[in-house]
């Protein structure tokens, strides 16, 4: 697919290369095995980049953690279908203090969250607390908070839905 903006249709055809480049890189991560080329042929602004990530969002998570020390070598990754819905998650802990979590629905960044992101966060917290109880690390009513569970976490959650609900 090639896109050449038509100035009779668009108010402006002067796109910000870095903005388009960032979005196309995201799409390459979210569609593993897809090669995306971006070529800017405008005079005195010529740029070209190619994106291909065989590991998809697992590679995305590795890149999110590249300036930190990962707690385990490879990201945890799974891709599951529930009926018509695909859920793809990659996560990796690092030595940082903050979390970096990206959530997407049908390849659209849901910056303000959504049920897929809330479900991921609560499930991860429940999983860690259940494991803590089972391993006798947590006693009685002790629980680890969601903020503590997400400390040092880099993650990407991507869902593909047949009937998405966006606000």
């Amino acid at each position: 697919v090639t896109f050449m903006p038509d100035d009779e249709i668009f108010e402006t055809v002067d796109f910000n290369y870095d903005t388009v480049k960032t979005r196309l890189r995201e799409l390459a991560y979210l569609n593993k095995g897809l090669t995306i080329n971006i070529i800017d042929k405008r005079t005195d602004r010529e740029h070209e980049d190619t994106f291909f990530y065989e590991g998809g969002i697992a590679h995305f998570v590795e890149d999110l953690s590249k300036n930190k020390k990962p707690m385990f070598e490879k990201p945890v990754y799974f891709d599951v279908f529930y009926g018509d819905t695909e859920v793809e998650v990659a996560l990796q802990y690092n030595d940082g203090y903050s979390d970096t979590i990206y959530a997407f629905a049908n390849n659209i960044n849901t910056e303000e969250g959504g049920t897929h992101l809330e479900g991921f966060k609560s499930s991860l917290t429940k999983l860690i607390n259940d494991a803590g109880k089972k391993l006798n690390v947590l006693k009685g009513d002790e629980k680890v908070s969601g903020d503590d569970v997400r400390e040092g976490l880099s993650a990407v959650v991507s869902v593909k839905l047949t009937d998405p609900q966006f606000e």
Side-chain angles (χ1 to χ4, degrees):
V1 175
T2 301
F3 171 73
M4 300 289 287
D6 184 338
D7 60 5
E8 290 181 21
I9 297 172
F10 293 95
E11 289 179 20
T12 180
V13 293
D14 189 21
F15 298 102
N16 181 298
Y17 183 82
D18 289 330
T19 301
V20 175
K21 176 181 160 183
T22 298
R23 179 62 179 135
L24 293 179
R25 179 184 295 124
E26 275 181 359
L27 287 171
Y29 283 127
L30 293 165
N31 297 280
K32 62 183 169 189
L34 177 68
T35 300
I36 298 177
N37 299 307
I38 177 174
I39 304 168
D40 188 344
K41 293 185 177 183
R42 294 176 288 185
T43 309
D44 70 310
R45 291 197 235 180
E46 292 188 24
H47 288 86
E48 182 172 346
D49 287 287
T50 299
F51 305 109
F52 171 81
Y53 303 105
E54 189 172 333
I57 65 170
H59 195 125
F60 195 172
V61 167
E62 288 175 330
D63 285 350
L64 291 173
S65 298
K66 71 181 170 194
N67 294 325
K68 300 170 185 132
K69 181 181 175 190
M71 296 296 154
F72 39 91
E73 187 178 335
K74 297 279 183 195
V76 173
Y77 170 80
F78 62 88
D79 187 1
V80 180
F81 286 86
Y82 294 100
D84 293 339
T85 302
E86 180 181 11
V87 178
E88 192 176 11
V89 175
L91 63 93
Q92 185 174 45
Y93 281 94
N94 58 60
D95 63 352
Y97 293 103
S98 60
D99 63 10
T100 306
I101 303 172
Y102 287 92
F104 297 87
N106 293 1
N107 291 339
I108 297 169
N109 189 338
T110 54
E111 294 175 20
E112 295 182 20
T115 54
H116 56 298
L117 180 58
E118 292 308 312
F120 167 74
K121 287 178 179 180
S122 62
S123 294
L124 183 62
T125 302
K126 182 178 180 341
L127 178 78
I128 297 294
N129 279 305
D130 288 352
K133 294 270 189 217
K134 186 175 183 178
L135 297 169
N136 289 320
V137 176
L138 299 173
K139 309 280 188 217
D141 290 338
E142 284 184 318
K143 289 186 177 185
V144 180
S145 74
D147 287 338
D148 289 338
V149 166
R150 292 186 302 276
E151 184 175 306
L153 176 67
S154 293
V156 176
V157 177
S158 175
V159 295
K160 296 199 171 87
L161 311 158
T162 55
D163 188 23
Q165 307 269 324
F166 292 102
E167 288 185 25

